[in-house]
Amino acid sequence: MGGAFLAAAFLARLGSRIELPTIPLFILAGILLGPHTPGIVLVSDPHELEMLSALGLVLLLFYLGLEFHLDDLKAGGRKMALAGGAYLLLNVGAGLGFGFALGWGTSEALVLAGVLGISSSAIVTKILVDLGRIGNPETKPILGIIVVEDIFLALYLAALQPILSGADSLSAALADGGKAFGFLLLLALAARFGKKLISRLINTKDDELLVISFLGAAVFMAGVSEWFGVADAIGAFMVGLMLGSTTSGDRIRTLVHPLRDAFGAIFFFAFGLSINPGDLPTVLWPVLAAVAVTLTMNILAGLVAARVYRFGSAPAANIATTLVARGEFALILATMAAGAALDARLAPFIAGYVLILAVLGPLAAAKSHWLARVLPGGGRGSRGGGDSDGDGDGPSGGDSSGGELSLAKTSGA
């Protein structure tokens, strides 16, 4: 375990010198030091890290729930819904079509729809901070799209779980889905109306007791979620949603950072352990095709979002390139697919796809001005455009909600 942490840290330090994100490097550490590559083998059986990897996944989604607020739905209003809906329609729709075109199976196509359709909020946030774009006008729609993706992800995983669990009939699948959605609804109502009670239960001045309390709640609810047919990570997400709006929310966000980072690294490392590099050439062309589809759909989505917010070509290029990266959500789906014994090609496909886009995303975002030159109105939009409808949603408006959303989403970057 010590070697796993040190290897991940060593590669991440090297990557930081050339401004690469940590996620693909953690995966690479697992591949290089796993049982499928020659040389040093730190962990011969990936299942040895199964519990710690699951804890990393739970903490990643718990943190995401902490960063998301129900009030965020009101912050962007109609424009956020339009931009986020268009992004999901283009990317998830293209991912579903791509999955069926591969011919690997219906369940596999549904998994690929999520893999190709949902951005990595961790990498997106890191890009915005590293490139100093937090104050840019296009950051508001970028974060709005991430919020819409978060909501979609919770519903998508809940709907996907009964399908992957192999329900025997349509009625059984509907029953499993109804049970899962009922449980999610119960948690959502608790988050919406039980804030005062939850605040009193979780509140303590002692940081040690607070850590034990929120960690226990997240892990326990993740286990209960599985009983109801909901992915464990979504149970943790809902706990984060509840606790993030309490009086202890800010302290919890601060205290969970080292836990999230440490066990999140193990989650990505463990995923790398399961990858056999020898399998990657068998999915090389599907991976490259999927990358091309994602780049195309993100450019279209960037243009649509810029049109909704009345931005020019430079913000459109920033939106398109910032949201390209794929990461933790794709790996969550890969983990679910492995548990459901789906096509063996899914794991190497998702690994190769995530590795390429997790590296390409930050690099493309840094050079987004190249894309802006070839987009419609290239020269005219170089300063970012504006919002001329007077509703305050654009760069010249007086709506401070975008700043609050930016702060909420990047407080842990």
Side-chain angles (χ1 to χ4, degrees), residues 107 128 143 148 163 185 210 251 272 284 332 372 375 377 392:
S107 296
L128 292 172
L143 295 176
V148 173
I163 298 173
L185 180 61
L210 185 59
R251 288 174 60 208
L284 176 61
I332 291 169
L375 292 180

Side-chain angles (χ1 to χ4, degrees), residues 182-351:
F183 179 68
L184 281 176
L185 180 61
L186 181 64
L187 291 180
L189 290 174
R192 177 66 179 85
F193 299 106
K195 183 167 63 174
K196 291 184 179 179
L197 176 61
I198 295 171
S199 292
R200 287 199 295 269
L201 290 174
I202 198 70
N203 187 41
T204 175
K205 294 181 179 179
D206 190 306
D207 285 349
E208 180 184 14
L209 293 179
L210 185 59
V211 169
I212 294 172
S213 298
F214 73 69
L215 186 60
V219 176
F220 178 77
M221 193 55 67
V224 172
S225 297
E226 287 196 330
W227 289 351
F228 285 90
V230 177
D232 52 1
I234 293 303
F237 173 86
M238 296 302 295
V239 173
L241 188 66
M242 295 179 197
L243 299 185
S245 58
T246 65
T247 54
S248 302
D250 289 338
R251 288 174 60 208
I252 293 174
R253 273 185 283 272
T254 300
L255 292 169
V256 79
H257 283 167
L259 294 170
R260 178 207 64 183
D261 292 342
F263 289 100
I266 291 300
F267 169 71
F268 297 122
F269 180 87
F271 181 78
L273 291 175
S274 65
I275 301 302
N276 185 346
D279 294 336
L280 294 178
T282 65
V283 293
L284 176 61
W285 291 113
V287 165
L288 294 179
V291 168
V293 168
T294 300
L295 292 175
T296 302
M297 291 300 105
N298 271 261
I299 292 173
L300 292 176
L303 289 171
V304 171
R307 183 68 178 269
V308 169
Y309 282 83
R310 301 190 182 184
F311 291 152
S313 63
N318 287 345
I319 294 170
T321 54
T322 302
L323 291 168
V324 158
R326 300 294 188 265
E328 63 274 17
F329 297 147
L331 301 186
I332 291 169
L333 291 169
T335 303
M336 292 177 63
L342 298 186
D343 194 300
R345 290 171 290 186
L346 270 179
F349 172 88
I350 294 174

Side-chain angles (χ1 to χ4, degrees), residues 79-91 144-145 148-149 304:
K79 290 186 175 182
M80 185 179 78
L82 285 174
Y87 187 90
L88 287 174
L89 181 64
L90 288 168
N91 284 272
I145 290 171
V148 173
E149 284 185 324
V304 171

Side-chain angles (χ1 to χ4, degrees), residues 341-380:
L342 298 186
D343 194 300
R345 290 171 290 186
L346 270 179
F349 172 88
I350 294 174
Y353 176 76
V354 169
L355 282 171
I356 290 176
L357 286 183
V359 174
L360 183 61
L363 298 177
K367 303 297 182 183
S368 60
H369 57 280
W370 292 354
L371 175 62
R373 293 173 187 168
V374 300
L375 292 180
R380 296 192 302 274

